[in-house]
Amino acid sequence: MTIQTKSLYDRLKPAPKNGGFRMEGYWVWCGSVIKGEDGRFHMFASRWPKHLPMHPGWLVHSEVVRAVSDTPEGPYAFEEIVLPARGAEYWDGRSTHNPHITKHGDTYVLYYMGSTNPLADVLPGEEFGLTDPRCIVARANKRIGIATSTSVFGPWERRDAPILPTRPGHFDSFLTSNPAPCIHEDGSVMLIYKARQYEGNVHGNMMIGAARADHYDGPYHVASEDPVFPPAKFHLEDPFIWHTGERYELIAKDMDGHICGELHAGIQAHSMDGLTWHVSNNPKAYSRKIRWDDGTETVMGSFERPFILFQDGKPTHLFAATADGAGGFTKATHTWNMVVPIATE
């Protein structure tokens, strides 16, 4: 891979209006795509039923699914549940979310966030929100794990423990989530992730950490005692990283819009070691304002969880979880995973 001289934002092409992946009766989020051994494109995504609120319903009833398309643009058709609920006794037994699919050698490696809780299911018609005990417990139990398979069709081997647990007394004492892995040719991994810490009995703000492993199976070790983006200056979520052959590149959601100039749009940064990051000269990576292939434009209510598909070492498509509405999860009536082609320089 080579370092691009044009910013990602400047290379985004019109998005296909009928592309991506959506499901009737479900909230859909977190699209991550890989070309399978069958030559088709497989999207690993999160879904949860619409009898729950979009947020925070995913914390208790999300499941990772797989959809397929003959082209990267889609539309993608649902094929199967990949990581279903498997019981409260498992660390990921009640919710699987944040899928990120990648491959090393002959093995597909699926990073994801899992959570569990010992409480009752949320039933249709039942009120559910951030102060519900089921939400509070599920949020505190968020951890990062992996599942592996030698086929994109599975079966998937899930681990009985997360790869990145929390650490008391550190910036990731409350939760770990939103895994953004970069697996190198030798099988070693640089993993950027989202964390929160305990502040009394509640959680603090989002922070971005880094961990390393000599092999994707672990063990993983946190690589910096401090967040790699100082929280006093950066308020980021949804990282995605890759290595160009010369350095790491990262895109992430700008929670306040102070860096890229637009609320909840994306920033781009780079690093030689994955620990010390520098914002790019052209920091804007993507916008919530989308140009469609029919010539129209829409400011999306959400545009999050960015994922870039690379083909032959080049970025070809940007995927993102998106929502309609005026902005914010509570105003959305539909969510889906959309795709934006990326022009070559």
Side-chain angles (χ1 to χ4, degrees):
M1 298 180 189
T2 58
I3 298 174
Q4 302 286 342
T5 55
K6 267 189 179 180
S7 71
L8 175 63
Y9 178 66
D10 290 334
R11 290 184 289 127
L12 295 180
K13 299 168 70 174
K17 256 197 169 175
N18 294 320
F21 173 53
R22 63 186 76 204
M23 286 193 75
E24 191 70 29
Y26 288 92
W27 303 108
V28 173
W29 212 244
C30 303
S32 176
V33 174
I34 197 166
K35 192 173 185 178
E37 63 264 32
D38 60 349
R40 298 186 300 167
F41 294 87
H42 298 258
M43 179 185 289
F44 291 76
S46 303
R47 75 170 191 183
W48 58 104
K50 275 198 163 181
H51 77 256
L52 290 156
M54 188 274 171
H55 178 69
W58 58 274
L59 274 166
V60 291
H61 285 299
S62 178
E63 57 190 2
V64 172
V65 301
R66 181 176 60 83
V68 68
S69 169
D70 291 332
T71 65
E73 292 83 2
Y76 287 77
F78 170 78
E79 286 222 332
E80 65 171 343
I81 302 170
V82 176
L83 301 179
R86 59 173 178 165
E89 68 270 31
Y90 292 95
W91 71 272
D92 61 347
R94 302 296 297 280
S95 176
T96 57
H97 198 67
N98 295 151
H100 182 119
I101 187 67
T102 186
K103 191 179 185 185
H104 184 259
D106 295 328
T107 302
Y108 293 91
V109 186
L110 179 60
Y111 288 79
Y112 65 100
M113 180 228 69
S115 181
T116 190
N117 73 84
L119 306 174
D121 287 338
V122 181
L123 301 176
E126 189 177 358
E127 291 291 327
F128 181 72
L130 291 170
T131 59
D132 191 293
R134 290 166 292 191
C135 176
I136 294 170
V137 174
R139 188 192 291 273
N141 280 332
K142 290 170 61 176
R143 305 289 185 269
I144 291 171
I146 61 168
T148 53
S149 175
T150 55
S151 169
V152 76
F153 302 102
W156 294 89
E157 180 186 349
R158 293 161 73 165
R159 277 53 175 176
D160 289 338
I163 61 167
L164 202 64
T166 54
R167 301 180 302 149
H170 294 80
F171 69 87
D172 49 7
S173 61
F174 185 75
L175 61 77
T176 64
S177 67
N178 296 48
C182 179
I183 302 182
H184 307 114
E185 288 188 11
D186 64 359
S188 63
V189 183
M190 168 61 70
L191 179 68
I192 303 297
Y193 64 99
K194 184 179 88 172
R196 293 183 190 265
Q197 67 182 5
Y198 266 105
E199 294 180 1
N201 294 340
V202 297
H203 61 77
N205 289 331
M206 291 180 290
M207 290 178 275
I208 304 295
R212 287 195 179 108
D214 292 334
H215 189 268
Y216 57 75
D217 247 333
Y220 286 75
H221 304 284
V222 177
S224 173
E225 285 304 304
D226 298 311
V228 293
F229 286 90
K233 184 178 179 182
F234 295 94
H235 188 195
L236 304 177
E237 190 183 22
D238 295 345
F240 175 90
I241 68 164
W242 68 100
H243 202 275
T244 67
E246 300 176 36
R247 67 187 188 186
Y248 293 100
E249 296 276 345
L250 172 145
I251 57 176
K253 177 184 171 185
D254 188 347
M255 295 297 292
D256 301 320
H258 295 161
I259 304 167
C260 72
E262 180 187 338
L263 181 70
H264 292 177
I267 72 149
Q268 189 160 355
H270 56 87
S271 171
M272 297 305 296
D273 60 3
L275 304 179
T276 302
W277 290 89
H278 306 279
V279 175
S280 301
N281 290 333
N282 297 313
K284 194 168 191 175
Y286 56 84
S287 171
R288 285 169 52 211
K289 186 176 184 179
I290 299 300
R291 294 180 297 131
W292 301 105
D293 57 1
D294 64 0
T296 60
E297 292 185 340
T298 306
V299 177
M300 307 308 297
S302 298
F303 190 90
E304 308 187 4
R305 297 291 298 150
F307 178 94
I308 297 176
L309 174 66
F310 286 84
Q311 298 185 80
D312 299 322
K314 296 179 180 179
T316 62
H317 296 81
L318 171 67
F319 293 84
T322 196
D324 62 3
F329 301 137
T330 61
K331 298 177 182 177
T333 58
H334 299 286
T335 66
W336 65 101
N337 288 326
M338 64 174 292
V339 55
V340 185
I342 301 171
T344 57
E345 287 194 294

